[in-house]
Amino acid sequence: MNDPGVNHSLTADNILASFPIALQGDASAAALGAITARLLARRPEEISQLRIYPMIDQLPERLLDILAYDFKVDWWDPNYTLEEKRRTLKESWRVHKMLGTRAAVEMAIRAVYPNTEVLEWFEYEGGKPYHFKLNIDLSDIQCDETRPWRVLERVNFYKSLRSHLEEIVFVMHTVPATLHVGGGTGASASIGVPMEKDVFDFQDTLHIGGAFGAKADVGVPAAADAFHFRAALHTGGVFSGQTELSVPEDISPPSATTILRTGGVCTIISNLSRGD
């Protein structure tokens, strides 16, 4: 908004300048006017909110609905988008001024559908007197199927009473596009296997999934126990081994006292006679 300048700003002197001349000679009225002017000059921000016309693009949506009711915008639709409501309210004063004319119909509908054209009966072939057509371009406009009809229900508010809407033409221009269709596709092939004798010839590593087990009996010659591992022994899963060691017979008499150690129990055997 442009700065109104010193001569037109909300100052006490400028407000008093509009004070009626007939009351300026009355001391009481002049004093009341001076007090009122000083109070108003202190609240410019609140006064700015009263400027409806230049503030339509900043007003909240709920206030737009209230103003539409107050200004009797009978063709108002609460389901309009916020931008459509702003355009409709801006043009409502001009529509009221030109009610019953072609311009009023075009302005009212163009607030919602900018590319709207009214054709009088003499502008198209076969037109009847006092009839007209509407061409509404819906390109690049997202709406449901009922919305255009809600707009047209309000045509009677601003058209001439003697005029009759003969036809409505909805036009939609689309740009070339590629149509992608989703779905599933599949293919099946059957390969015959000739019947032959089973032959298994593994020349490389065989990998078997699941459980695998193997058993081998390896004889161990009788010899002094000796274990020499010259390579790493890897066993997977559970591994167990068993070795039997022969114990030579010992016929020598035991010593006087022999201690036999077993797991968890210790036994002392004494070979002494009662007289020793």
PDB file of all heavy atoms in Angstrom, residues 77 80 84 87-88 105-117 135-152 170-171:
ATOM      1  N   ASP A  77     -20.613 -19.429  -2.723  1.00  0.00           N
ATOM      2  CA  ASP A  77     -20.585 -20.867  -2.410  1.00  0.00           C
ATOM      3  C   ASP A  77     -19.509 -21.097  -1.360  1.00  0.00           C
ATOM      4  O   ASP A  77     -18.327 -20.849  -1.612  1.00  0.00           O
ATOM      5  CB  ASP A  77     -20.284 -21.689  -3.665  1.00  0.00           C
ATOM      6  CG  ASP A  77     -20.493 -23.184  -3.443  1.00  0.00           C
ATOM      7  OD1 ASP A  77     -20.444 -23.628  -2.281  1.00  0.00           O
ATOM      8  OD2 ASP A  77     -20.709 -23.906  -4.432  1.00  0.00           O
ATOM      9  N   TYR A  80     -16.225 -22.928  -2.331  1.00  0.00           N
ATOM     10  CA  TYR A  80     -15.192 -22.369  -3.192  1.00  0.00           C
ATOM     11  C   TYR A  80     -13.836 -22.471  -2.504  1.00  0.00           C
ATOM     12  O   TYR A  80     -13.744 -22.495  -1.271  1.00  0.00           O
ATOM     13  CB  TYR A  80     -15.469 -20.898  -3.489  1.00  0.00           C
ATOM     14  CG  TYR A  80     -16.611 -20.628  -4.446  1.00  0.00           C
ATOM     15  CD1 TYR A  80     -17.165 -19.357  -4.568  1.00  0.00           C
ATOM     16  CD2 TYR A  80     -17.145 -21.632  -5.249  1.00  0.00           C
ATOM     17  CE1 TYR A  80     -18.214 -19.091  -5.435  1.00  0.00           C
ATOM     18  CE2 TYR A  80     -18.190 -21.383  -6.117  1.00  0.00           C
ATOM     19  CZ  TYR A  80     -18.726 -20.113  -6.200  1.00  0.00           C
ATOM     20  OH  TYR A  80     -19.755 -19.859  -7.057  1.00  0.00           O
ATOM     21  N   GLU A  84     -10.790 -18.508  -5.060  1.00  0.00           N
ATOM     22  CA  GLU A  84     -12.062 -18.258  -5.736  1.00  0.00           C
ATOM     23  C   GLU A  84     -12.953 -17.343  -4.912  1.00  0.00           C
ATOM     24  O   GLU A  84     -13.669 -16.487  -5.453  1.00  0.00           O
ATOM     25  CB  GLU A  84     -12.760 -19.585  -6.020  1.00  0.00           C
ATOM     26  CG  GLU A  84     -12.056 -20.428  -7.091  1.00  0.00           C
ATOM     27  CD  GLU A  84     -12.583 -21.840  -7.166  1.00  0.00           C
ATOM     28  OE1 GLU A  84     -13.371 -22.236  -6.286  1.00  0.00           O
ATOM     29  OE2 GLU A  84     -12.193 -22.572  -8.095  1.00  0.00           O
ATOM     30  N   ARG A  87     -11.652 -13.737  -5.387  1.00  0.00           N
ATOM     31  CA  ARG A  87     -12.033 -13.165  -6.680  1.00  0.00           C
ATOM     32  C   ARG A  87     -13.531 -12.858  -6.720  1.00  0.00           C
ATOM     33  O   ARG A  87     -13.955 -11.829  -7.260  1.00  0.00           O
ATOM     34  CB  ARG A  87     -11.650 -14.122  -7.817  1.00  0.00           C
ATOM     35  CG  ARG A  87     -10.163 -14.277  -8.032  1.00  0.00           C
ATOM     36  CD  ARG A  87      -9.866 -14.909  -9.399  1.00  0.00           C
ATOM     37  NE  ARG A  87     -10.431 -16.239  -9.514  1.00  0.00           N
ATOM     38  CZ  ARG A  87      -9.772 -17.351  -9.271  1.00  0.00           C
ATOM     39  NH1 ARG A  87      -8.500 -17.290  -8.889  1.00  0.00           N
ATOM     40  NH2 ARG A  87     -10.345 -18.535  -9.417  1.00  0.00           N
ATOM     41  N   THR A  88     -14.344 -13.763  -6.144  1.00  0.00           N
ATOM     42  CA  THR A  88     -15.786 -13.534  -6.158  1.00  0.00           C
ATOM     43  C   THR A  88     -16.156 -12.294  -5.362  1.00  0.00           C
ATOM     44  O   THR A  88     -17.000 -11.484  -5.791  1.00  0.00           O
ATOM     45  CB  THR A  88     -16.521 -14.759  -5.584  1.00  0.00           C
ATOM     46  OG1 THR A  88     -16.210 -15.905  -6.375  1.00  0.00           O
ATOM     47  CG2 THR A  88     -18.021 -14.559  -5.587  1.00  0.00           C
ATOM     48  N   VAL A 105     -23.009 -11.776 -15.770  1.00  0.00           N
ATOM     49  CA  VAL A 105     -22.927 -13.238 -15.828  1.00  0.00           C
ATOM     50  C   VAL A 105     -21.479 -13.681 -16.010  1.00  0.00           C
ATOM     51  O   VAL A 105     -20.996 -14.591 -15.323  1.00  0.00           O
ATOM     52  CB  VAL A 105     -23.815 -13.784 -16.961  1.00  0.00           C
ATOM     53  CG1 VAL A 105     -23.652 -15.296 -17.083  1.00  0.00           C
ATOM     54  CG2 VAL A 105     -25.268 -13.428 -16.726  1.00  0.00           C
ATOM     55  N   GLU A 106     -20.774 -13.028 -16.925  1.00  0.00           N
ATOM     56  CA  GLU A 106     -19.391 -13.413 -17.193  1.00  0.00           C
ATOM     57  C   GLU A 106     -18.497 -13.155 -15.981  1.00  0.00           C
ATOM     58  O   GLU A 106     -17.665 -13.998 -15.623  1.00  0.00           O
ATOM     59  CB  GLU A 106     -18.870 -12.662 -18.414  1.00  0.00           C
ATOM     60  CG  GLU A 106     -19.430 -13.181 -19.721  1.00  0.00           C
ATOM     61  CD  GLU A 106     -18.832 -12.493 -20.928  1.00  0.00           C
ATOM     62  OE1 GLU A 106     -18.308 -11.373 -20.775  1.00  0.00           O
ATOM     63  OE2 GLU A 106     -18.877 -13.078 -22.027  1.00  0.00           O
ATOM     64  N   MET A 107     -18.646 -11.994 -15.358  1.00  0.00           N
ATOM     65  CA  MET A 107     -17.802 -11.676 -14.203  1.00  0.00           C
ATOM     66  C   MET A 107     -18.035 -12.643 -13.054  1.00  0.00           C
ATOM     67  O   MET A 107     -17.086 -13.079 -12.391  1.00  0.00           O
ATOM     68  CB  MET A 107     -18.064 -10.237 -13.746  1.00  0.00           C
ATOM     69  CG  MET A 107     -17.359  -9.189 -14.581  1.00  0.00           C
ATOM     70  SD  MET A 107     -17.472  -7.540 -13.845  1.00  0.00           S
ATOM     71  CE  MET A 107     -19.220  -7.259 -13.932  1.00  0.00           C
ATOM     72  N   ALA A 108     -19.272 -12.980 -12.785  1.00  0.00           N
ATOM     73  CA  ALA A 108     -19.579 -13.860 -11.662  1.00  0.00           C
ATOM     74  C   ALA A 108     -19.013 -15.263 -11.875  1.00  0.00           C
ATOM     75  O   ALA A 108     -18.434 -15.867 -10.968  1.00  0.00           O
ATOM     76  CB  ALA A 108     -21.085 -13.916 -11.439  1.00  0.00           C
ATOM     77  N   ILE A 109     -19.179 -15.792 -13.097  1.00  0.00           N
ATOM     78  CA  ILE A 109     -18.693 -17.157 -13.356  1.00  0.00           C
ATOM     79  C   ILE A 109     -17.180 -17.176 -13.539  1.00  0.00           C
ATOM     80  O   ILE A 109     -16.504 -18.138 -13.135  1.00  0.00           O
ATOM     81  CB  ILE A 109     -19.399 -17.753 -14.582  1.00  0.00           C
ATOM     82  CG1 ILE A 109     -20.901 -17.812 -14.337  1.00  0.00           C
ATOM     83  CG2 ILE A 109     -18.868 -19.148 -14.889  1.00  0.00           C
ATOM     84  CD1 ILE A 109     -21.687 -18.449 -15.453  1.00  0.00           C
ATOM     85  N   ARG A 110     -16.612 -16.106 -14.099  1.00  0.00           N
ATOM     86  CA  ARG A 110     -15.159 -16.071 -14.289  1.00  0.00           C
ATOM     87  C   ARG A 110     -14.391 -16.005 -12.976  1.00  0.00           C
ATOM     88  O   ARG A 110     -13.200 -16.301 -12.936  1.00  0.00           O
ATOM     89  CB  ARG A 110     -14.785 -14.885 -15.171  1.00  0.00           C
ATOM     90  CG  ARG A 110     -15.084 -15.104 -16.650  1.00  0.00           C
ATOM     91  CD  ARG A 110     -14.769 -13.880 -17.471  1.00  0.00           C
ATOM     92  NE  ARG A 110     -15.044 -14.118 -18.889  1.00  0.00           N
ATOM     93  CZ  ARG A 110     -14.952 -13.191 -19.832  1.00  0.00           C
ATOM     94  NH1 ARG A 110     -14.594 -11.944 -19.508  1.00  0.00           N
ATOM     95  NH2 ARG A 110     -15.224 -13.490 -21.078  1.00  0.00           N
ATOM     96  N   ALA A 111     -15.039 -15.616 -11.906  1.00  0.00           N
ATOM     97  CA  ALA A 111     -14.379 -15.641 -10.602  1.00  0.00           C
ATOM     98  C   ALA A 111     -14.021 -17.061 -10.198  1.00  0.00           C
ATOM     99  O   ALA A 111     -13.080 -17.286  -9.436  1.00  0.00           O
ATOM    100  CB  ALA A 111     -15.286 -15.005  -9.543  1.00  0.00           C
ATOM    101  N   VAL A 112     -14.757 -18.043 -10.751  1.00  0.00           N
ATOM    102  CA  VAL A 112     -14.496 -19.454 -10.456  1.00  0.00           C
ATOM    103  C   VAL A 112     -13.858 -20.145 -11.654  1.00  0.00           C
ATOM    104  O   VAL A 112     -12.894 -20.905 -11.514  1.00  0.00           O
ATOM    105  CB  VAL A 112     -15.805 -20.168 -10.058  1.00  0.00           C
ATOM    106  CG1 VAL A 112     -15.540 -21.627  -9.712  1.00  0.00           C
ATOM    107  CG2 VAL A 112     -16.460 -19.453  -8.904  1.00  0.00           C
ATOM    108  N   TYR A 113     -14.388 -19.868 -12.856  1.00  0.00           N
ATOM    109  CA  TYR A 113     -13.850 -20.421 -14.098  1.00  0.00           C
ATOM    110  C   TYR A 113     -13.415 -19.257 -14.982  1.00  0.00           C
ATOM    111  O   TYR A 113     -14.244 -18.660 -15.686  1.00  0.00           O
ATOM    112  CB  TYR A 113     -14.898 -21.271 -14.816  1.00  0.00           C
ATOM    113  CG  TYR A 113     -15.379 -22.447 -14.001  1.00  0.00           C
ATOM    114  CD1 TYR A 113     -16.648 -22.465 -13.443  1.00  0.00           C
ATOM    115  CD2 TYR A 113     -14.541 -23.525 -13.764  1.00  0.00           C
ATOM    116  CE1 TYR A 113     -17.072 -23.540 -12.687  1.00  0.00           C
ATOM    117  CE2 TYR A 113     -14.959 -24.612 -13.015  1.00  0.00           C
ATOM    118  CZ  TYR A 113     -16.229 -24.613 -12.471  1.00  0.00           C
ATOM    119  OH  TYR A 113     -16.643 -25.677 -11.722  1.00  0.00           O
ATOM    120  N   PRO A 114     -12.132 -18.903 -14.921  1.00  0.00           N
ATOM    121  CA  PRO A 114     -11.661 -17.701 -15.634  1.00  0.00           C
ATOM    122  C   PRO A 114     -11.950 -17.715 -17.131  1.00  0.00           C
ATOM    123  O   PRO A 114     -12.180 -16.655 -17.718  1.00  0.00           O
ATOM    124  CB  PRO A 114     -10.155 -17.692 -15.347  1.00  0.00           C
ATOM    125  CG  PRO A 114     -10.000 -18.461 -14.077  1.00  0.00           C
ATOM    126  CD  PRO A 114     -11.049 -19.522 -14.135  1.00  0.00           C
ATOM    127  N   ASN A 115     -11.949 -18.870 -17.770  1.00  0.00           N
ATOM    128  CA  ASN A 115     -12.166 -18.948 -19.219  1.00  0.00           C
ATOM    129  C   ASN A 115     -13.632 -19.276 -19.504  1.00  0.00           C
ATOM    130  O   ASN A 115     -13.978 -20.377 -19.944  1.00  0.00           O
ATOM    131  CB  ASN A 115     -11.245 -19.994 -19.852  1.00  0.00           C
ATOM    132  CG  ASN A 115      -9.779 -19.651 -19.668  1.00  0.00           C
ATOM    133  OD1 ASN A 115      -9.399 -18.486 -19.750  1.00  0.00           O
ATOM    134  ND2 ASN A 115      -8.963 -20.648 -19.398  1.00  0.00           N
ATOM    135  N   THR A 116     -14.491 -18.327 -19.217  1.00  0.00           N
ATOM    136  CA  THR A 116     -15.924 -18.478 -19.449  1.00  0.00           C
ATOM    137  C   THR A 116     -16.383 -17.440 -20.474  1.00  0.00           C
ATOM    138  O   THR A 116     -15.966 -16.282 -20.425  1.00  0.00           O
ATOM    139  CB  THR A 116     -16.717 -18.302 -18.147  1.00  0.00           C
ATOM    140  OG1 THR A 116     -16.331 -19.316 -17.217  1.00  0.00           O
ATOM    141  CG2 THR A 116     -18.214 -18.409 -18.391  1.00  0.00           C
ATOM    142  N   GLU A 117     -17.245 -17.859 -21.394  1.00  0.00           N
ATOM    143  CA  GLU A 117     -17.754 -16.966 -22.440  1.00  0.00           C
ATOM    144  C   GLU A 117     -19.268 -17.089 -22.532  1.00  0.00           C
ATOM    145  O   GLU A 117     -19.813 -18.197 -22.512  1.00  0.00           O
ATOM    146  CB  GLU A 117     -17.111 -17.319 -23.780  1.00  0.00           C
ATOM    147  CG  GLU A 117     -17.528 -16.402 -24.915  1.00  0.00           C
ATOM    148  CD  GLU A 117     -16.940 -16.835 -26.245  1.00  0.00           C
ATOM    149  OE1 GLU A 117     -16.394 -17.964 -26.312  1.00  0.00           O
ATOM    150  OE2 GLU A 117     -17.028 -16.058 -27.210  1.00  0.00           O
ATOM    151  N   ASN A 135     -20.137 -21.097 -22.598  1.00  0.00           N
ATOM    152  CA  ASN A 135     -18.974 -21.934 -22.908  1.00  0.00           C
ATOM    153  C   ASN A 135     -18.007 -21.831 -21.738  1.00  0.00           C
ATOM    154  O   ASN A 135     -17.476 -20.755 -21.456  1.00  0.00           O
ATOM    155  CB  ASN A 135     -18.301 -21.483 -24.199  1.00  0.00           C
ATOM    156  CG  ASN A 135     -19.141 -21.791 -25.423  1.00  0.00           C
ATOM    157  OD1 ASN A 135     -19.999 -22.658 -25.387  1.00  0.00           O
ATOM    158  ND2 ASN A 135     -18.902 -21.078 -26.511  1.00  0.00           N
ATOM    159  N   ILE A 136     -17.789 -22.938 -21.050  1.00  0.00           N
ATOM    160  CA  ILE A 136     -16.932 -22.949 -19.863  1.00  0.00           C
ATOM    161  C   ILE A 136     -15.760 -23.879 -20.123  1.00  0.00           C
ATOM    162  O   ILE A 136     -15.946 -25.068 -20.402  1.00  0.00           O
ATOM    163  CB  ILE A 136     -17.704 -23.403 -18.604  1.00  0.00           C
ATOM    164  CG1 ILE A 136     -18.872 -22.451 -18.342  1.00  0.00           C
ATOM    165  CG2 ILE A 136     -16.784 -23.467 -17.398  1.00  0.00           C
ATOM    166  CD1 ILE A 136     -19.703 -22.849 -17.142  1.00  0.00           C
ATOM    167  N   ASP A 137     -14.559 -23.326 -20.027  1.00  0.00           N
ATOM    168  CA  ASP A 137     -13.338 -24.100 -20.246  1.00  0.00           C
ATOM    169  C   ASP A 137     -12.853 -24.632 -18.902  1.00  0.00           C
ATOM    170  O   ASP A 137     -12.517 -23.858 -17.990  1.00  0.00           O
ATOM    171  CB  ASP A 137     -12.267 -23.211 -20.892  1.00  0.00           C
ATOM    172  CG  ASP A 137     -11.078 -24.022 -21.389  1.00  0.00           C
ATOM    173  OD1 ASP A 137     -10.938 -25.183 -20.968  1.00  0.00           O
ATOM    174  OD2 ASP A 137     -10.292 -23.493 -22.188  1.00  0.00           O
ATOM    175  N   LEU A 138     -12.814 -25.946 -18.758  1.00  0.00           N
ATOM    176  CA  LEU A 138     -12.392 -26.592 -17.510  1.00  0.00           C
ATOM    177  C   LEU A 138     -10.944 -27.052 -17.556  1.00  0.00           C
ATOM    178  O   LEU A 138     -10.499 -27.775 -16.657  1.00  0.00           O
ATOM    179  CB  LEU A 138     -13.291 -27.795 -17.208  1.00  0.00           C
ATOM    180  CG  LEU A 138     -14.787 -27.510 -17.021  1.00  0.00           C
ATOM    181  CD1 LEU A 138     -15.523 -28.804 -16.746  1.00  0.00           C
ATOM    182  CD2 LEU A 138     -15.006 -26.531 -15.883  1.00  0.00           C
ATOM    183  N   SER A 139     -10.188 -26.634 -18.562  1.00  0.00           N
ATOM    184  CA  SER A 139      -8.787 -27.053 -18.670  1.00  0.00           C
ATOM    185  C   SER A 139      -7.986 -26.529 -17.486  1.00  0.00           C
ATOM    186  O   SER A 139      -8.172 -25.402 -17.027  1.00  0.00           O
ATOM    187  CB  SER A 139      -8.190 -26.523 -19.979  1.00  0.00           C
ATOM    188  OG  SER A 139      -8.923 -26.980 -21.095  1.00  0.00           O
ATOM    189  N   ASP A 140      -7.102 -27.382 -16.985  1.00  0.00           N
ATOM    190  CA  ASP A 140      -6.202 -27.041 -15.879  1.00  0.00           C
ATOM    191  C   ASP A 140      -6.963 -26.685 -14.600  1.00  0.00           C
ATOM    192  O   ASP A 140      -6.446 -25.966 -13.733  1.00  0.00           O
ATOM    193  CB  ASP A 140      -5.277 -25.872 -16.258  1.00  0.00           C
ATOM    194  CG  ASP A 140      -4.424 -26.188 -17.463  1.00  0.00           C
ATOM    195  OD1 ASP A 140      -4.030 -27.355 -17.609  1.00  0.00           O
ATOM    196  OD2 ASP A 140      -4.165 -25.267 -18.268  1.00  0.00           O
ATOM    197  N   ILE A 141      -8.186 -27.158 -14.459  1.00  0.00           N
ATOM    198  CA  ILE A 141      -8.981 -26.908 -13.262  1.00  0.00           C
ATOM    199  C   ILE A 141      -9.354 -28.247 -12.661  1.00  0.00           C
ATOM    200  O   ILE A 141      -9.905 -29.119 -13.340  1.00  0.00           O
ATOM    201  CB  ILE A 141     -10.251 -26.092 -13.567  1.00  0.00           C
ATOM    202  CG1 ILE A 141      -9.881 -24.708 -14.097  1.00  0.00           C
ATOM    203  CG2 ILE A 141     -11.125 -25.960 -12.331  1.00  0.00           C
ATOM    204  CD1 ILE A 141     -11.072 -23.867 -14.491  1.00  0.00           C
ATOM    205  N   GLN A 142      -9.053 -28.422 -11.390  1.00  0.00           N
ATOM    206  CA  GLN A 142      -9.367 -29.659 -10.700  1.00  0.00           C
ATOM    207  C   GLN A 142     -10.693 -29.493  -9.964  1.00  0.00           C
ATOM    208  O   GLN A 142     -10.839 -28.611  -9.119  1.00  0.00           O
ATOM    209  CB  GLN A 142      -8.267 -30.036  -9.715  1.00  0.00           C
ATOM    210  CG  GLN A 142      -6.926 -30.344 -10.375  1.00  0.00           C
ATOM    211  CD  GLN A 142      -5.889 -30.782  -9.377  1.00  0.00           C
ATOM    212  OE1 GLN A 142      -6.130 -30.805  -8.174  1.00  0.00           O
ATOM    213  NE2 GLN A 142      -4.722 -31.150  -9.864  1.00  0.00           N
ATOM    214  N   CYS A 143     -11.642 -30.316 -10.279  1.00  0.00           N
ATOM    215  CA  CYS A 143     -12.940 -30.226  -9.615  1.00  0.00           C
ATOM    216  C   CYS A 143     -13.660 -31.562  -9.749  1.00  0.00           C
ATOM    217  O   CYS A 143     -13.325 -32.377 -10.613  1.00  0.00           O
ATOM    218  CB  CYS A 143     -13.786 -29.100 -10.205  1.00  0.00           C
ATOM    219  SG  CYS A 143     -14.199 -29.322 -11.944  1.00  0.00           S
ATOM    220  N   ASP A 144     -14.647 -31.760  -8.897  1.00  0.00           N
ATOM    221  CA  ASP A 144     -15.434 -32.983  -9.000  1.00  0.00           C
ATOM    222  C   ASP A 144     -16.564 -32.770  -9.993  1.00  0.00           C
ATOM    223  O   ASP A 144     -16.778 -31.679 -10.527  1.00  0.00           O
ATOM    224  CB  ASP A 144     -15.972 -33.400  -7.625  1.00  0.00           C
ATOM    225  CG  ASP A 144     -16.763 -32.281  -6.960  1.00  0.00           C
ATOM    226  OD1 ASP A 144     -17.536 -31.606  -7.667  1.00  0.00           O
ATOM    227  OD2 ASP A 144     -16.607 -32.082  -5.747  1.00  0.00           O
ATOM    228  N   GLU A 145     -17.322 -33.821 -10.245  1.00  0.00           N
ATOM    229  CA  GLU A 145     -18.339 -33.767 -11.287  1.00  0.00           C
ATOM    230  C   GLU A 145     -19.533 -32.903 -10.916  1.00  0.00           C
ATOM    231  O   GLU A 145     -20.304 -32.481 -11.786  1.00  0.00           O
ATOM    232  CB  GLU A 145     -18.809 -35.184 -11.600  1.00  0.00           C
ATOM    233  CG  GLU A 145     -19.404 -35.916 -10.397  1.00  0.00           C
ATOM    234  CD  GLU A 145     -19.813 -37.337 -10.725  1.00  0.00           C
ATOM    235  OE1 GLU A 145     -19.548 -37.774 -11.849  1.00  0.00           O
ATOM    236  OE2 GLU A 145     -20.388 -37.997  -9.850  1.00  0.00           O
ATOM    237  N   THR A 146     -19.747 -32.620  -9.633  1.00  0.00           N
ATOM    238  CA  THR A 146     -20.912 -31.842  -9.218  1.00  0.00           C
ATOM    239  C   THR A 146     -20.631 -30.347  -9.143  1.00  0.00           C
ATOM    240  O   THR A 146     -21.555 -29.553  -9.127  1.00  0.00           O
ATOM    241  CB  THR A 146     -21.401 -32.322  -7.840  1.00  0.00           C
ATOM    242  OG1 THR A 146     -20.363 -32.099  -6.857  1.00  0.00           O
ATOM    243  CG2 THR A 146     -21.733 -33.811  -7.871  1.00  0.00           C
ATOM    244  N   ARG A 147     -19.357 -29.984  -9.092  1.00  0.00           N
ATOM    245  CA  ARG A 147     -19.028 -28.575  -8.871  1.00  0.00           C
ATOM    246  C   ARG A 147     -19.506 -27.651  -9.993  1.00  0.00           C
ATOM    247  O   ARG A 147     -20.052 -26.586  -9.714  1.00  0.00           O
ATOM    248  CB  ARG A 147     -17.525 -28.432  -8.676  1.00  0.00           C
ATOM    249  CG  ARG A 147     -17.101 -27.050  -8.285  1.00  0.00           C
ATOM    250  CD  ARG A 147     -15.682 -27.072  -7.756  1.00  0.00           C
ATOM    251  NE  ARG A 147     -15.232 -25.737  -7.473  1.00  0.00           N
ATOM    252  CZ  ARG A 147     -14.200 -25.170  -8.053  1.00  0.00           C
ATOM    253  NH1 ARG A 147     -13.534 -25.818  -8.971  1.00  0.00           N
ATOM    254  NH2 ARG A 147     -13.834 -23.948  -7.733  1.00  0.00           N
ATOM    255  N   PRO A 148     -19.308 -27.980 -11.270  1.00  0.00           N
ATOM    256  CA  PRO A 148     -19.814 -27.076 -12.313  1.00  0.00           C
ATOM    257  C   PRO A 148     -21.306 -26.812 -12.214  1.00  0.00           C
ATOM    258  O   PRO A 148     -21.773 -25.703 -12.468  1.00  0.00           O
ATOM    259  CB  PRO A 148     -19.460 -27.808 -13.609  1.00  0.00           C
ATOM    260  CG  PRO A 148     -18.324 -28.697 -13.245  1.00  0.00           C
ATOM    261  CD  PRO A 148     -18.601 -29.135 -11.845  1.00  0.00           C
ATOM    262  N   TRP A 149     -22.066 -27.811 -11.804  1.00  0.00           N
ATOM    263  CA  TRP A 149     -23.517 -27.631 -11.702  1.00  0.00           C
ATOM    264  C   TRP A 149     -23.874 -26.747 -10.520  1.00  0.00           C
ATOM    265  O   TRP A 149     -24.881 -26.011 -10.588  1.00  0.00           O
ATOM    266  CB  TRP A 149     -24.191 -28.988 -11.596  1.00  0.00           C
ATOM    267  CG  TRP A 149     -23.861 -29.879 -12.752  1.00  0.00           C
ATOM    268  CD1 TRP A 149     -23.055 -30.981 -12.746  1.00  0.00           C
ATOM    269  CD2 TRP A 149     -24.278 -29.713 -14.102  1.00  0.00           C
ATOM    270  NE1 TRP A 149     -22.946 -31.516 -13.999  1.00  0.00           N
ATOM    271  CE2 TRP A 149     -23.692 -30.756 -14.862  1.00  0.00           C
ATOM    272  CE3 TRP A 149     -25.097 -28.779 -14.759  1.00  0.00           C
ATOM    273  CZ2 TRP A 149     -23.900 -30.900 -16.224  1.00  0.00           C
ATOM    274  CZ3 TRP A 149     -25.296 -28.927 -16.117  1.00  0.00           C
ATOM    275  CH2 TRP A 149     -24.713 -29.973 -16.832  1.00  0.00           C
ATOM    276  N   ARG A 150     -23.095 -26.780  -9.449  1.00  0.00           N
ATOM    277  CA  ARG A 150     -23.369 -25.882  -8.329  1.00  0.00           C
ATOM    278  C   ARG A 150     -23.173 -24.427  -8.743  1.00  0.00           C
ATOM    279  O   ARG A 150     -23.896 -23.550  -8.284  1.00  0.00           O
ATOM    280  CB  ARG A 150     -22.444 -26.214  -7.153  1.00  0.00           C
ATOM    281  CG  ARG A 150     -22.712 -27.576  -6.522  1.00  0.00           C
ATOM    282  CD  ARG A 150     -22.174 -27.635  -5.101  1.00  0.00           C
ATOM    283  NE  ARG A 150     -20.777 -27.261  -5.031  1.00  0.00           N
ATOM    284  CZ  ARG A 150     -19.771 -28.121  -5.102  1.00  0.00           C
ATOM    285  NH1 ARG A 150     -20.015 -29.419  -5.258  1.00  0.00           N
ATOM    286  NH2 ARG A 150     -18.522 -27.714  -5.005  1.00  0.00           N
ATOM    287  N   VAL A 151     -22.189 -24.182  -9.613  1.00  0.00           N
ATOM    288  CA  VAL A 151     -21.971 -22.822 -10.098  1.00  0.00           C
ATOM    289  C   VAL A 151     -23.143 -22.368 -10.952  1.00  0.00           C
ATOM    290  O   VAL A 151     -23.644 -21.244 -10.832  1.00  0.00           O
ATOM    291  CB  VAL A 151     -20.653 -22.748 -10.897  1.00  0.00           C
ATOM    292  CG1 VAL A 151     -20.489 -21.380 -11.538  1.00  0.00           C
ATOM    293  CG2 VAL A 151     -19.465 -23.036  -9.989  1.00  0.00           C
ATOM    294  N   LEU A 152     -23.617 -23.256 -11.810  1.00  0.00           N
ATOM    295  CA  LEU A 152     -24.682 -22.877 -12.741  1.00  0.00           C
ATOM    296  C   LEU A 152     -26.018 -22.689 -12.030  1.00  0.00           C
ATOM    297  O   LEU A 152     -26.902 -21.999 -12.539  1.00  0.00           O
ATOM    298  CB  LEU A 152     -24.806 -23.940 -13.830  1.00  0.00           C
ATOM    299  CG  LEU A 152     -23.553 -24.079 -14.706  1.00  0.00           C
ATOM    300  CD1 LEU A 152     -23.690 -25.244 -15.654  1.00  0.00           C
ATOM    301  CD2 LEU A 152     -23.328 -22.796 -15.493  1.00  0.00           C
ATOM    302  N   PHE A 170     -19.173 -27.513 -21.890  1.00  0.00           N
ATOM    303  CA  PHE A 170     -17.950 -27.654 -21.113  1.00  0.00           C
ATOM    304  C   PHE A 170     -16.842 -28.111 -22.054  1.00  0.00           C
ATOM    305  O   PHE A 170     -17.002 -29.094 -22.777  1.00  0.00           O
ATOM    306  CB  PHE A 170     -18.110 -28.663 -19.975  1.00  0.00           C
ATOM    307  CG  PHE A 170     -19.085 -28.235 -18.918  1.00  0.00           C
ATOM    308  CD1 PHE A 170     -20.330 -28.802 -18.846  1.00  0.00           C
ATOM    309  CD2 PHE A 170     -18.733 -27.274 -17.988  1.00  0.00           C
ATOM    310  CE1 PHE A 170     -21.238 -28.411 -17.866  1.00  0.00           C
ATOM    311  CE2 PHE A 170     -19.616 -26.883 -17.007  1.00  0.00           C
ATOM    312  CZ  PHE A 170     -20.882 -27.451 -16.943  1.00  0.00           C
ATOM    313  N   VAL A 171     -15.736 -27.417 -22.018  1.00  0.00           N
ATOM    314  CA  VAL A 171     -14.603 -27.716 -22.893  1.00  0.00           C
ATOM    315  C   VAL A 171     -13.398 -28.037 -22.014  1.00  0.00           C
ATOM    316  O   VAL A 171     -13.152 -27.364 -21.002  1.00  0.00           O
ATOM    317  CB  VAL A 171     -14.282 -26.530 -23.823  1.00  0.00           C
ATOM    318  CG1 VAL A 171     -13.105 -26.876 -24.726  1.00  0.00           C
ATOM    319  CG2 VAL A 171     -15.500 -26.158 -24.651  1.00  0.00           C
TER     320      VAL A 171
END
